[in-house]
Every structure is written in structure tokens, then in C-alpha cells.
Amino acid sequence: VLEKLQQVHLGRLSNKMGRHGVVIASSFINLCLYSLSFVSFPSDAATTTAAVTEEIPIIPSSIYLALASGVLLGLGDGGFNVSIYTALGTIYESNPAPAFAMFKFVQSMIGAAAFIYCGHLILPFQLGILALTCVLGCISFAILERNPSQILVDTTDVDPEAEKSFIQTPAGSKDTSTVADSEH
């Protein structure tokens, strides 16, 4: 519920600041989160299976740091998601479903890769990867916002006959052409 309220608020903020402003603010929030994580967790926290690590963090961890990190993570991630969703909906206005599906597919694949490498890389390297991709994502979004016409895809020239083959028949009705074709 809180995530959806945040998305509504960030959507309104996006209308005032522009999407690029929200992405820059989200990038700054995420970079602050990564810095806070770097100083408050030991570097071997991600790779050890023991309850106690051998390394000592720069500043001692506390419940308040963990809560602040959670809030920053939610704000940064929410800002990016709202901006990406609105950009995809604007750019692919006539047929947004494939764009959203591709975005979720790529996001899931990158998440799966992160789960694979997270137990093998120490925390500073993981945070470095996150910071690098955060900055690259912010730059890419700024380029997209500056020149959206370079990536627009024209979906108006789709073959109507090919499109009919993907349309499902309404529930309760029979499509006799597929039944007759399968009998031959």
C-alpha cells in the first residue's frame, strides 16, 4: 500500500520536475544508500556464512541505520520505476505491452545474475557494480529524454493478417477453423 502511495506521489512530482529530475534525484538517493551501506556493513558481510564476520565496519551498525537504508532504498527504487514506466508508456503509446514485458524480462535477468554473484563478491565490489549501473542508467535515461525520437518504433505497419492469428476467440465461442484444420 505504501509503495503505491509513493508511486502516486512520485508521479505527481514527476509532472512538476520532469522525469529526468526524478531520475537524477533517485540516482543521488541510491548513491547515498550505497555509501551508507559501505560504511555501516563489514566488507565480508555478503560472503560469509558465519553470524559474526571478521571485519569491522567503519561505523557501527544500528537499527536506525538499517531503517534509514530501507527508506532510501524504497525512495530511490520507486523513483526509477515510476520514471521508467512513464517513459515506456509515453514512447510506446500505441502498443506498450511488449515494451513493458521486455523491461520486466531484462530486470528479472539482471536480478537473477545479481543473486548468482552476490555470494561470491565482497560488499565493496557489489556496491561498486550498483553505483556504476546507477550512474549509467541515469545517463542513459537523460539521453533518452533528450532524444526520444531516435528510439521510437513504428508499430502501425503490423500485418493485419498476422495480427489476427494472435487474437484469441471470446470465451464460450468455438473457432471452427482451428478445429477443422487440426482434423485434416
Side-chain angles (χ1 to χ4, degrees):
V1 172
L2 291 176
E3 179 184 359
K4 296 304 175 191
L5 290 174
Q6 176 197 9
Q7 287 180 354
V8 168
H9 179 67
L10 284 174
R12 291 180 185 152
L13 186 63
S14 176
N15 291 338
K16 290 180 182 179
M17 293 176 53
R19 287 187 297 245
H20 62 280
V22 173
V23 168
I24 291 170
S26 297
S27 297
F28 180 74
I29 289 170
N30 280 335
L31 292 173
C32 289
L33 167 69
Y34 304 150
S35 301
L36 185 63
S37 298
F38 178 75
V39 298
S40 64
F41 292 109
S43 64
D44 65 346
T47 57
T48 186
T49 57
V52 178
T53 64
E54 295 178 12
E55 306 236 355
I56 299 172
I58 297 171
I59 60 173
S61 298
S62 71
I63 188 71
Y64 300 110
L65 282 175
L67 291 174
S69 296
V71 169
L72 290 176
L73 179 64
L75 287 173
D77 187 50
F80 268 118
N81 281 333
V82 165
S83 298
I84 289 172
Y85 288 147
T86 56
L88 287 175
T90 302
I91 292 170
Y92 299 100
E93 190 173 356
S94 63
N95 192 11
F100 284 103
M102 184 59 72
F103 169 68
K104 293 306 283 182
F105 173 75
V106 171
Q107 187 181 39
S108 298
M109 289 296 107
I110 292 172
F115 274 113
I116 291 170
Y117 75 71
C118 74
H120 304 288
L121 289 178
I122 61 173
L123 189 62
F125 287 139
Q126 291 183 29
L127 294 173
I129 291 170
L130 288 171
L132 177 69
T133 56
C134 178
V135 170
L136 289 176
C138 184
I139 292 170
S140 299
F141 196 87
I143 292 170
L144 169 77
E145 282 291 305
R146 190 177 283 265
N147 298 320
S149 62
Q150 290 180 349
I151 63 151
L152 288 178
V153 177
D154 185 19
T155 59
T156 58
D157 62 348
V158 175
D159 181 21
E161 293 301 317
E163 192 173 358
K164 283 182 186 177
S165 66
F166 293 110
I167 297 175
Q168 297 177 353
T169 58
S173 66
K174 289 186 176 182
D175 186 6
T176 57
S177 63
T178 56
V179 173
D181 292 341
S182 63
E183 291 175 359
H184 295 298

